[in-house]
Amino acid sequence: MLQQTQVSRVLLKYGEFLERFPTLESLARARPARVMDAWNGLGYYARARNLHRLAKSVARDGDGEAVLPNDPAGLRALPGVGAYTAGAVASFAFERRAALVDTNVARVLRRVFAPGVDATRGAGQRALWALATALLPRTGRTTYIHNQALMELGALVCTARIRHCDRCPVRAVCATYAANDS
Ligand code: SF4
């Protein structure tokens, strides 16, 4: 729901959607029109179609115990799941040792370690994913905290609009800070 949609708009729909479809099985069984109706107001309906297909694919054997794969590769194989979503679900839902790079994390990694990298190009994105992977802590539990912290840093401190270097916890190792502010 959060792909290209603000949190405030998603919050209005998220609880309601879960009330209508509390399990992957209930979503898998639903008629497409009912899923679209529950998605009404969020736009970008390809997400709803993908989510419906995803539920059907994991609930296929009908044993009532559909669960998502817990690793990034398994998650990537599902409809509508990209690299970031796979990493986020593996890390935050299953506490797996998985990297994730969204816009905020990409900005932080670039500014701290690789100011010369162009994150709009494929090679730059691959370099940032490699950095994110190399930085992972040793355990899944610590990775959960590490990934949350990286996202928060990008959302609240090292933002697209302004760099709050004066209160940044990674200032001492930041290449951008060293180049511009020291
Ligand atoms: S020191 Fe400044 S540029 Fe570096 S990560 Fe922190 S806020 Fe961003």
Side-chain angles (χ1 to χ4, degrees):
M1 282 183 177
L2 285 165
Q3 287 171 357
Q4 301 180 29
T5 304
Q6 291 171 335
V7 174
S8 55
R9 282 182 64 205
V10 167
L11 282 176
L12 298 172
K13 280 283 170 186
Y14 183 67
E16 198 182 298
F17 191 90
L18 284 184
E19 269 176 34
R20 286 174 84 159
F21 307 113
T23 63
L24 286 162
E25 284 84 3
S26 61
L27 182 59
R29 281 194 307 268
R31 285 199 311 276
R34 229 181 125 233
V35 179
M36 291 302 143
D37 183 56
W39 202 268
N40 191 26
L42 284 170
Y44 189 16
Y45 285 85
R47 293 175 300 177
R49 284 190 288 275
N50 280 334
L51 188 57
H52 198 195
R53 284 171 53 217
L54 180 155
K56 285 180 177 172
S57 74
V58 294
R60 206 171 346 185
D61 59 11
D63 64 0
E65 293 185 6
V67 288
L68 294 175
N70 65 11
D71 64 299
L75 287 158
R76 278 299 300 268
L78 296 172
V81 178
Y84 165 73
T85 302
V89 172
S91 175
F92 299 143
F94 297 109
E95 295 192 4
R96 294 291 302 260
R97 190 173 171 274
L100 55 87
V101 179
D102 69 352
T103 312
N104 286 332
V105 172
R107 183 173 55 255
V108 170
L109 293 177
R110 190 175 53 74
R111 285 179 178 166
V112 175
F113 297 106
V117 161
D118 181 353
T120 64
R121 305 185 87 85
Q125 285 166 16
R126 284 192 293 279
L128 294 175
W129 272 94
L131 254 175
T133 304
L135 285 173
L136 287 178
R138 276 195 305 204
T139 69
R141 176 63 194 148
T142 318
T143 295
Y144 177 106
I145 298 165
H146 167 89
N147 283 336
Q148 291 276 340
L150 265 180
M151 292 175 75
E152 289 290 285
L153 199 57
L156 303 175
V157 178
C158 191
T159 72
R161 225 165 42 83
I162 183 161
R163 295 183 277 121
H164 296 285
C165 302
D166 54 321
R167 56 186 172 88
C168 181
V170 300
R171 188 175 60 188
V173 296
C174 179
T176 298
Y177 178 75
N180 295 299
D181 297 290
S182 56

